[in-house]
Amino acid sequence: MNIIQTKNLTKSFGDTIAINNVSINVREGEIYGFLGLNGAGKTTAIRLMLGMIFPDTGSVSLFNHNVHKAYQDWNNIGYMVETPYSYPNLSVYENLEVICRLRGLSDRTLIDKIIITLQLSSYKHKKAKQLSLGNNQRLGLAKALIHSPKLLLLDEPINGLDPAGIVEIRGFLKDLVKNHNTTIFISSHILSEISKIATRIGIIHNGTLIKEIDTAELENQTIKKVCINTSDNPTALKVLSNVGVTSSISTENIIETSNMDSIRNPENITQLLTSKGLPPKSIYIYEEDLERYFLRIIDNNKKDYETTI
């Protein structure tokens, strides 16, 4: 079942196209990571999904129902968009009490439960304006989660959190999916974190969805290579070629090979070159991380665009 489905979603603000013909399907129980640079269109897409703004063309459906002004299923949805707004002169508890009233929740024990879950107990009676950026972020998450939503839309949810807080939130979101079958749509520019939590990734650039990939497939698409430096790289290149290892010399004068056997067993390269009197000065495996992959995909998309105009 698709929990989120957008079809040819387009939204402009004046002459600026913020979202351009974006079609996304997010399956039940999935953590969908929505990656993009600042200004790429992430927040606009989430606002469109939540009916905060409406598209120029295209459509959004949540739980197989089109989002429109009379959409009634908001109690199955939790969200945090951009800054986690709170009533500054109300305490953490009072802010959550307001949310309970707005959502028609009569069980006030939910407030204490979410305060404990997000480790806000020490700040329960502190005014929101006295909270740190990280604890304000926790309060925003508490408001999004207090009613145990089936769908959670989060816009940059770990901004302002310290490393320990990021690990806690990461574990908490994984638990929501595993034990409560929650579906999560999470936008971020913190690429390393998305790779640790998402089951599928969509990359948006200049309002256009340029890539979707299952996280499990990511390893097959990222660049891996063995990088070698010897006292005589041109000769070492010939030695490798003679045994069928295709390689080249980079602009940094380093030998590079994407030969899979060499990547799995770089010690064989060391042994071969040493036996030929060319022991490596250095040898290491380069693996493209998500950030470099993301930038490469954006760069390739830019080049493809430039060739069409």
Side-chain angles (χ1 to χ4, degrees):
M1 175 182 175
N2 287 325
I3 301 299
I4 300 174
Q5 187 171 39
T6 74
K7 291 182 180 179
N8 308 121
L9 204 59
T10 299
K11 179 66 177 179
S12 297
F13 298 99
D15 295 331
T16 302
I17 301 175
I19 293 292
N20 185 20
N21 202 37
V22 170
S23 296
I24 295 174
N25 295 308
V26 180
R27 302 181 287 262
E28 186 175 16
E30 186 171 54
I31 301 179
Y32 188 100
F34 200 44
L35 292 177
L37 302 174
N38 290 333
K42 304 188 299 296
T43 299
T44 300
I46 289 177
R47 288 181 175 277
L48 286 164
M49 292 174 190
L50 290 168
M52 293 178 173
I53 54 176
F54 291 94
D56 300 329
T57 59
S59 63
V60 178
S61 69
L62 305 178
F63 302 102
N64 289 329
H65 295 104
N66 284 339
V67 173
H68 48 75
K69 291 181 180 179
Y71 186 77
Q72 296 293 316
D73 210 15
W74 297 119
N75 269 347
N76 281 323
I77 300 165
Y79 61 89
M80 187 173 73
V81 183
E82 292 186 295
T83 305
Y85 295 105
S86 300
Y87 295 100
N89 290 312
L90 296 184
S91 69
V92 167
Y93 187 93
E94 289 166 339
N95 266 281
L96 293 173
E97 196 172 30
V98 170
I99 295 300
C100 280
R101 290 176 179 175
L102 289 173
R103 287 197 174 274
L105 304 173
S106 58
D107 184 0
R108 291 299 188 264
T109 64
L110 294 173
I111 299 175
D112 284 315
K113 286 178 183 177
I114 198 67
I115 282 175
I116 292 169
T117 298
L118 289 173
Q119 299 188 359
L120 285 166
S121 298
S122 300
Y123 310 97
K124 179 177 178 178
H125 299 297
K126 268 200 169 185
K127 291 183 178 181
K129 67 182 179 182
Q130 297 172 325
L131 298 177
S132 67
L133 178 62
N135 282 325
N136 255 312
Q137 201 77 0
R138 289 175 188 270
L139 177 55
L141 286 168
K143 291 191 290 184
L145 293 164
I146 194 168
H147 58 300
S148 301
K150 295 178 182 177
L151 170 63
L152 195 55
L153 293 104
L154 301 174
D155 188 17
E156 304 282 3
I158 57 177
N159 275 357
L161 295 178
D162 59 25
I166 290 172
V167 171
E168 288 166 13
I169 296 302
R170 186 198 309 154
F172 179 64
L173 294 179
K174 286 182 176 180
D175 179 71
L176 283 175
V177 172
K178 182 178 179 180
N179 296 318
H180 302 279
N181 202 35
T182 305
T183 302
I184 300 175
F185 185 94
I186 178 170
S187 82
S188 183
H189 66 280
I190 304 177
L191 311 177
S192 58
E193 279 308 309
I194 289 294
S195 67
K196 292 172 185 171
I197 192 172
T199 51
R200 195 151 57 100
I201 291 170
I203 298 175
I204 187 170
H205 188 58
N206 290 337
T208 300
L209 188 69
I210 61 173
K211 185 82 172 180
E212 278 190 311
I213 183 171
D214 288 343
T215 308
E217 296 175 11
L218 189 61
E219 189 164 338
N220 296 327
Q221 295 200 16
T222 54
I223 293 171
K224 301 179 185 68
K225 56 190 175 184
V226 182
C227 300
I228 312 142
N229 189 29
T230 72
S231 58
D232 186 353
N233 284 346
T235 300
L237 196 69
K238 292 177 183 177
V239 170
L240 293 172
S241 179
N242 289 339
V243 296
V245 176
T246 302
S247 52
S248 60
I249 296 179
S250 71
T251 54
E252 289 81 22
N253 198 34
I254 300 292
I255 298 173
E256 297 179 346
T257 177
S258 298
N259 178 272
M260 286 309 300
D261 184 63
S262 299
I263 292 169
R264 294 190 191 100
N265 304 288
E267 66 277 8
N268 292 344
I269 295 288
T270 300
Q271 187 176 24
L272 171 66
L273 293 175
T274 300
S275 71
K276 300 296 183 180
L278 295 164
K281 293 180 178 179
S282 67
I283 180 168
Y284 61 92
I285 297 174
Y286 168 88
E287 292 190 54
E288 184 180 45
D289 60 19
L290 184 58
E291 183 167 0
R292 291 188 178 95
Y293 173 80
F294 172 74
L295 293 173
R296 176 165 61 86
I297 293 298
I298 286 177
D299 188 53
N300 289 344
N301 181 73
K302 180 181 177 182
K303 289 175 181 175
D304 291 343
Y305 174 75
E306 288 173 347
T307 60
T308 63
I309 60 174

